[in-house]
């Protein structure tokens, strides 16, 4: 069955960097767009980035543009989010989700805490 | 960016009741709207896509309607397991924004 498993969340100081990973199984990874969505504690959902199947098309929310980079390794069935210049307001659970328009499959999320 | 405004932000209802949650877009999004259910500590679950299409396996008591800027999610004959937070999401224009959520409590 379809599985998405995020990892890499941690406590990091403001200005620091972190790389999140999303390992997938149960489907042909390269056939699908993938999306990162985050949720600050007790808050709503925020779309932050997506990437097409070949990795040639990406887009970002303004809140992370220039600081975050989405990428994928289709040979490893893995999606990544490189997060630089982290701020307190980036504190959230980060979910990876399959697709670009409809999100039928999500990971369980990984918590990123930005605090000194 | 398109703003999605949900109302109410929270509501409480009894088993067997019917409730409606509304979602308003700041501009015309045709029928490019999805609804999700999220329970504490879990990822969201897609309920309705394209404003009115029930996703596979979702109980028939859930229904969606609307187009343009005004949308609604109705849950009829509430069950205890419907206690959750519900979010709308537009996919007309990037960034694909979500509503702020509606917390549904079952009395």
């Amino acid at each position: 069955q379809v599985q998405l498993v995020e990892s890499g969340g941690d406590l990091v100081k403001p200005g620091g960097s972190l790389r999140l990973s999303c390992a997938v199984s149960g489907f042909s990874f390269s056939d699908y767009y993938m999306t990162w969505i985050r949720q600050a504690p007790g808050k709503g959902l925020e779309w932050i980035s997506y990437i097409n199947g070949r990795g040639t098309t990406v887009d970002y929310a303004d809140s992370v543009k220039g600081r975050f980079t989405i990428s994928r390794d289709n040979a490893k069935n893995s999606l990544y989010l490189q997060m630089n210049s982290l701020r307190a307001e980036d504190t959230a659970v980060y979910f990876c989700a399959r697709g670009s328009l409809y999100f039928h499959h999500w990971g369980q999320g990984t918590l990123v805490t930005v605090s000194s | 960016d398109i703003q999605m405004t949900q109302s109410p932000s929270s509501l409480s209802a009894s088993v067997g009741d019917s409730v409606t949650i509304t979602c308003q877009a700041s501009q015309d999004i045709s029928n490019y709207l999805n609804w999700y259910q999220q329970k504490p500590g879990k990822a969201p679950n897609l309920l309705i896509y394209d404003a009115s299409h029930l996703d596979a396996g979702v109980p028939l008591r859930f229904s969606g309607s609307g187009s343009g800027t005004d949308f609604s999610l109705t849950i009829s004959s509430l069950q205890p397991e419907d206690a959750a937070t519900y979010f709308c999401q537009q996919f007309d224009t990037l960034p694909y924004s979500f509503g702020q959520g509606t917390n549904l409590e079952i009395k």
Side-chain angles (χ1 to χ4, degrees), chain A residues 37 39 43-47 50 59 61-62 95 100-104 106-107, chain B residues 1 34 36 38 42-44 46 49-50 55 87 89 91 94-96 98 100:
Chain A
I37 294 164
Q39 187 170 35
K43 301 295 185 182
L45 299 161
E46 181 185 13
W47 179 98
Y50 79 4
D59 206 345
D62 286 346
F95 296 99
S100 60
L101 306 179
Y102 317 95
F103 306 120
H104 291 92
W106 300 62
Chain B
D1 294 2
N34 302 322
Y36 297 85
Q38 186 181 32
K42 300 292 188 182
L46 180 65
Y49 64 94
D50 293 348
D55 199 32
F87 295 94
Q89 173 234 335
F91 57 96
L94 286 168
Y96 296 150
F98 292 83
Q100 79 279 15

Side-chain angles (χ1 to χ4, degrees), chain A residues 2-71:
Chain A
V2 174
Q3 281 197 311
L4 297 85
V5 180
E6 302 94 338
S7 61
D10 205 348
L11 171 63
V12 61
K13 289 181 168 52
S17 297
L18 211 53
R19 188 197 198 204
L20 305 183
S21 299
C22 172
V24 314
S25 59
F27 63 98
S28 180
F29 181 58
S30 60
D31 287 345
Y32 289 88
Y33 273 74
M34 296 293 295
T35 299
W36 286 101
I37 294 164
R38 70 184 179 184
Q39 187 170 35
K43 301 295 185 182
L45 299 161
E46 181 185 13
W47 179 98
I48 56 172
S49 183
Y50 79 4
I51 187 168
N52 71 340
R54 295 174 60 191
T56 54
T57 298
V58 300
D59 206 345
Y60 301 93
D62 286 346
S63 58
V64 306
K65 197 171 292 184
R67 300 187 299 122
F68 290 12
T69 302
I70 191 171
S71 63

